[in-house]
Amino acid sequence: MTVLCLVELDDGGPADASLRAVTLARSLGDTSVRTVVFGDAAQVPADALASYGVTDVYVVEPDLLAIAGGFARGVRGDGAPPEMASTVVPPGQPCYAPQAWGRVLAGLAAETGATAVLAAGTDRGNEVLAHLGAITGLPMAANCTIVTPDGGQTHRLVRHRWAGLLLEDAVMEAPVALFTVATDAVAPVPAETPATIQVHVHKPELATDDLRVRAVESPAGAGGVSLATARVVIGGGRGVGGPDGFAPLEELAGLLGGVVGVSRVVTSEGWRPHKQQVGQTGTKITPELYLACGISGAIQHIAGCSGAKHIIAINTDAGAPILTHADYAVIGDLHQVIPALVQALRAR
């Protein structure tokens, strides 16, 4: 069997969530695991993927997507609205176009004879596979924890529902199974024997319509650690007090090599962007350490941070719900505790 897996990149390497998906792909029996990467062929982390048993990498370079849609050097594609000509994908710059990515996966699945196509259960993974399902007319299951081939065109699945509060047993009947892997369901485990890997530059056939909806990342915003894959997350909630109150949290995150995450109320108040939200309607995180500052711990937020290996809460309320989920707690004012912690770290 051939399994095709979408691999997202994070700071030049495979995202942790994608390595978890590749690990699950290897568990589907006697399979050849092939991956699809959207990025620069010269920077594909082939060795890292080979260590996880990947045999082939199909690379779709940013410029190929731009040219396929007719947007290279500001050239407008046939039928594109006039305003699209002013929004150009610069050469070599990453381009996320969910429908185009889904179209690429559909073509490669047919070309390789894949029996399953999977991705990490990230925002992008779920969105791209939803597009793939719409393009191919195949069913798609999101946030799976266990996938077991059951002979023929049947797979038995266990997947998260209600942000992981409920596990659902399901059976998927389809010639090609489409599913995403819950980001905290499978530990990333390298293969016992690294594979011999081949890198192929894939040139997709795309229409202008496939690139009508796309997000262009600037180089300044594309690097660094993402919220979904960070080893350390410093969370801030209502107790931070306002936009200016996040400066100490940013400083602490920098010292620990982590990133800042926030609760839903923070984004609702407009203090921080939605992309930093941790929770059921935000990002589900799986860090080594989650330091929750001034966060009460609503069930929607806990659904997003329950995959953290260690949770430390700083709160003035000894009865805050998040304390029942924390490994350690500091009952105190975060405006005193965080600066003291930053000072101690700098002194050390």
Side-chain angles (χ1 to χ4, degrees):
M1 297 192 302
T2 297
V3 177
L4 196 62
C5 184
L6 172 64
V7 170
E8 300 176 56
L9 301 180
D10 184 39
D11 199 21
D16 178 74
S18 293
L19 292 179
R20 293 167 185 260
V22 171
T23 300
L24 188 144
R26 294 204 320 268
S27 73
L28 298 182
D30 185 13
T31 61
S32 169
V33 179
R34 304 183 181 188
T35 59
V36 182
V37 175
F38 290 83
D40 190 339
Q43 299 177 359
V44 169
D47 291 343
L49 293 174
S51 69
Y52 275 78
V54 174
T55 58
D56 294 84
V57 182
Y58 295 91
V59 184
V60 182
E61 295 188 304
D63 292 350
L64 293 177
L65 281 181
I67 294 171
F71 300 111
R73 299 182 180 87
V75 178
R76 187 181 65 187
D78 292 339
E83 61 270 18
M84 298 188 81
S86 62
T87 306
V88 185
V89 181
Q93 185 164 313
C95 173
Y96 172 57
Q99 182 168 315
W101 286 29
R103 189 79 62 186
V104 169
L105 289 178
L108 283 172
E111 181 180 321
T112 60
T115 55
V117 182
L118 63 153
T122 59
D123 288 344
R124 286 192 174 185
N126 285 324
E127 183 176 28
V128 171
L129 258 67
H131 277 280
L132 176 58
I135 290 169
T136 59
L138 295 169
M140 174 262 189
N143 298 317
C144 297
T145 61
I146 300 174
V147 178
T148 306
D150 196 23
Q153 299 179 355
T154 303
H155 287 75
R156 295 189 176 275
L157 313 173
V158 178
R159 62 174 182 155
H160 284 173
R161 299 299 299 272
W162 297 97
L165 300 178
L166 176 69
L167 292 178
E168 175 190 72
D169 291 314
V171 175
M172 175 181 286
E173 295 182 356
V176 181
L178 311 181
F179 56 90
T180 61
V181 181
T183 55
D184 59 346
V186 181
V189 179
E192 292 184 3
T193 304
T196 300
I197 196 168
Q198 291 186 334
V199 178
H200 316 271
V201 176
H202 181 62
K203 297 182 179 181
E205 295 183 3
L206 299 172
T208 300
D209 284 349
D210 292 327
L211 283 163
R212 284 184 182 275
V213 177
R214 67 199 190 284
V216 179
E217 298 175 350
S218 66
V225 181
S226 70
L227 182 60
T229 60
R231 292 176 59 102
V232 176
V233 176
I234 310 298
R238 187 191 301 272
V240 174
D244 295 339
F246 281 91
L249 274 64
E250 292 278 8
E251 185 177 7
L252 178 59
L255 289 171
L256 297 177
V259 298
V260 170
V262 301
S263 64
R264 180 175 180 177
V265 68
V266 171
T267 60
S268 298
E269 292 291 338
W271 298 348
R272 306 288 287 195
H274 173 74
K275 67 180 181 179
Q276 293 185 338
Q277 182 182 325
V278 174
Q280 183 174 353
T281 56
T283 300
K284 198 168 186 179
I285 60 174
T286 56
E288 296 283 339
L289 171 65
Y290 180 50
L291 181 60
C293 308
I295 296 175
S296 62
I299 190 170
Q300 293 87 350
H301 187 78
I302 297 301
C305 68
S306 59
K309 292 187 178 180
H310 302 286
I311 298 177
I312 301 176
I314 301 175
N315 209 297
T316 56
D317 181 7
I322 197 168
L323 269 63
T324 64
H325 301 274
D327 298 286
Y328 302 94
V330 178
I331 307 304
D333 186 350
L334 68 91
H335 299 291
Q336 298 176 356
V337 175
I338 297 299
L341 182 55
V342 167
Q343 183 179 0
L345 287 171
R346 289 200 177 282
R348 189 178 178 87

